[in-house]
Amino acid sequence: MGSGVAVTGGTFRQALAIHAAGVVIITAQNEGVPVGLTATSFSSVSLDPPLVAFYVDRASTTWPWLRSADHFAVNILKGDQAGLASRFASKGVDRFAEPTRWRPGPLGAPLLQGVSAHLVCLPYDTVTVGDHFLVVGLVAEAEVHDPGNPLLYHQGRFGDFTAHP
């Protein structure tokens, strides 16, 4: 402790796995092509103005498509949508093909069906932080559908939330 040396990546990853995180899928449409990725780093930033944020790996092949889109959607997943989260975290699959159900949103970004809520966002700021980009969006529209139980990510697995009585 106090040596000024950073912890190893493996130890850091192991410690972070203990923290449960909510799961969202970020979607956009660029040049008529729908794109999306799963994120567990989503959070609110500000109420006034209404801002949200997520982190994306700088090596992401989806990021260049998201970055050049004029808006994006945050699809907040329900506890029973682990399969959808896994699909959007996978490489080499058509994430928007069946069984994924979606519709174009008011500005064109894909809105996934059956999610708890949608936030349609305009790009607000992007900052390089280590090996990730911090992406901040200004929420232009919000729709709450069925809050239900959220999908969580904990110790490398998806699960849902059980409230204490």
Side-chain angles (χ1 to χ4, degrees):
M1 293 297 224
S3 67
V5 177
V7 68
T8 66
T11 302
F12 186 50
R13 185 179 297 260
Q14 184 180 17
L16 290 179
I18 294 168
H19 174 72
V23 184
V24 301
I25 294 176
I26 308 297
T27 56
Q29 187 160 196
N30 194 330
E31 299 177 15
V33 177
V35 296
L37 56 81
T38 299
T40 58
S41 59
F42 173 76
S43 67
S44 61
V45 174
S46 168
L47 289 176
D48 187 16
L51 301 174
V52 295
F54 66 95
Y55 288 89
V56 61
D57 191 317
R58 288 173 46 189
S60 166
T61 57
T62 304
W63 170 241
W65 290 88
L66 281 173
R67 182 178 191 124
S68 58
D70 62 359
H71 70 286
F72 61 89
V74 177
N75 299 269
I76 302 173
L77 301 186
K78 290 199 265 187
D80 63 357
Q81 294 182 306
L84 190 60
S86 293
R87 182 177 186 87
F88 276 78
S90 299
K91 295 181 192 274
V93 299
D94 181 351
R95 297 170 179 167
F96 291 91
E98 288 293 331
T100 302
R101 295 178 304 124
W102 63 280
R103 65 177 170 83
L107 300 176
L111 300 181
L112 301 176
Q113 300 291 316
V115 299
S116 292
H118 295 112
L119 303 174
V120 177
C121 303
L122 304 174
Y124 188 83
D125 200 3
T126 301
V127 180
T128 302
V129 181
D131 60 1
H132 280 66
F133 293 111
L134 168 62
V135 181
V136 181
L138 174 68
V139 180
E141 241 184 81
E143 288 181 37
V144 176
H145 304 289
D146 174 14
N149 284 336
L151 183 64
L152 299 176
Y153 188 71
H154 180 250
Q155 295 188 336
R157 298 181 311 190
F158 294 111
D160 62 359
F161 174 77
T162 303
H164 287 279

